[in-house]
Amino acid sequence: DGLQWADAPSLALLARMSRRSYDVPCLVILGTRPDAAVLAALRAVPRLELGPLPDAARTTLLTRHLGAPPTPELRQALVRRGGGNPFFLLELSDAMKERGAIEVEETPQGRVVRRRTGAPLQLPSTLEGVVAERLDELDAPARGLLQWLAVAGDGVDEDDLADLADATPEEVGERLRSLVKRGFVERRGAGLAFTSAIFREVLYEATEPGDRAPLHRRVAARLRRV
């Protein structure tokens, strides 16, 4: 997922691997946005292009995620920014829920989700923008925990995060429960991972380059002790 963010050496390695034959069959699925470097590196790999969600599917997706169909006004506002990108639509609706900008209303025709009266409808126009705003609304301890996960990578466990964040297991557990509920993190086996690569990318890129080196050294020191 997110192959468009891969560096040149990684793409070169994937290109070499794609041109080899192997004794054991292996299915590899790579996800990327349109990107000239990725397409050039993997031009021999079969490609399946996914278009935007059809209009009816957007409504179905939003209805399932919000628990009731959105009003035409709310749906138009979300689709105007999110287009046919399902992840973008879900992030926009989550951002509005977390800000208390939408509410469920009972009508004679049934339940609908509408914009709360007087609530501002100021939404970013890019996926990265709405993700960044949702992350900015986290408190410092929760955001710090995600920053450590962004540096350490998927698979780190709660004990590792507690050690890196100088927090108790109880504190980390409480923060993780909130982050899992809000859809940022999920448990994969014994470790933790972001639910989407874009969360890690936005967090990592938001860290000043000069601040990354100490974080990586701390993670490396932890790995040497394990």
Side-chain angles (χ1 to χ4, degrees), residues 1-224:
D1 188 20
L3 191 59
Q4 69 275 4
W5 289 309
D7 55 25
S10 298
L11 288 178
L13 175 62
L14 286 173
R16 288 197 298 272
M17 292 175 65
S18 69
R19 293 192 291 266
R20 290 184 53 189
S21 60
Y22 300 88
D23 295 332
V24 179
C26 181
L27 174 65
V28 178
I29 300 176
L30 304 169
T32 181
R33 297 180 189 177
D35 182 89
V38 173
L39 295 178
L42 302 179
R43 57 182 178 273
V45 175
R47 186 169 70 250
L48 175 64
E49 295 188 8
L50 300 178
L53 280 180
D55 191 64
R58 300 176 198 180
T59 301
T60 300
L61 178 71
L62 290 171
T63 299
R64 289 178 178 176
H65 192 64
L66 295 171
T71 62
E73 178 208 14
L74 178 59
R75 182 193 175 282
Q76 182 180 14
L78 293 171
V79 170
R80 185 168 58 247
R81 290 165 175 80
N85 183 325
F87 184 70
F88 198 177
L89 289 172
L90 296 182
E91 284 299 299
L92 287 168
S93 59
D94 282 343
M96 294 193 72
K97 283 195 295 184
E98 291 173 0
R99 296 171 186 173
I102 57 178
E103 62 184 0
V104 178
E105 180 184 28
E106 297 289 345
T107 72
Q109 292 75 35
R111 302 168 73 235
V112 296
V113 181
R114 67 175 183 85
R115 185 176 70 167
R116 190 181 298 276
T117 303
L121 193 59
Q122 298 175 345
L123 295 173
S125 58
T126 66
L127 177 55
E128 288 82 357
V130 72
V131 167
E133 285 200 3
R134 286 192 66 206
L135 291 169
D136 286 343
E137 291 170 358
L138 296 172
D139 59 32
R143 184 179 173 86
L145 205 63
L146 289 180
Q147 188 177 44
W148 280 116
L149 183 57
V151 173
D154 293 350
V156 64
D157 61 26
E158 291 189 31
D159 289 338
D160 292 327
L161 281 181
D163 180 72
L164 293 170
D166 292 324
T168 66
E170 292 75 20
E171 291 171 333
V172 168
E174 182 178 352
R175 294 168 196 166
L176 283 175
R177 283 190 290 273
S178 174
L179 292 170
V180 168
K181 183 178 180 180
R182 298 178 74 167
F184 290 113
V185 176
E186 63 185 3
R187 301 181 187 277
R188 294 181 186 171
L192 300 159
F194 287 105
T195 54
S196 171
I198 195 170
F199 292 138
R200 181 180 186 272
E201 178 68 16
V202 171
L203 273 163
Y204 192 80
E205 291 301 322
T207 306
E208 293 295 329
D211 295 333
R212 294 176 191 167
L215 299 176
H216 281 286
R217 283 196 292 268
R218 180 79 179 268
V219 171
R222 169 69 182 174
L223 292 174
R224 284 197 297 268

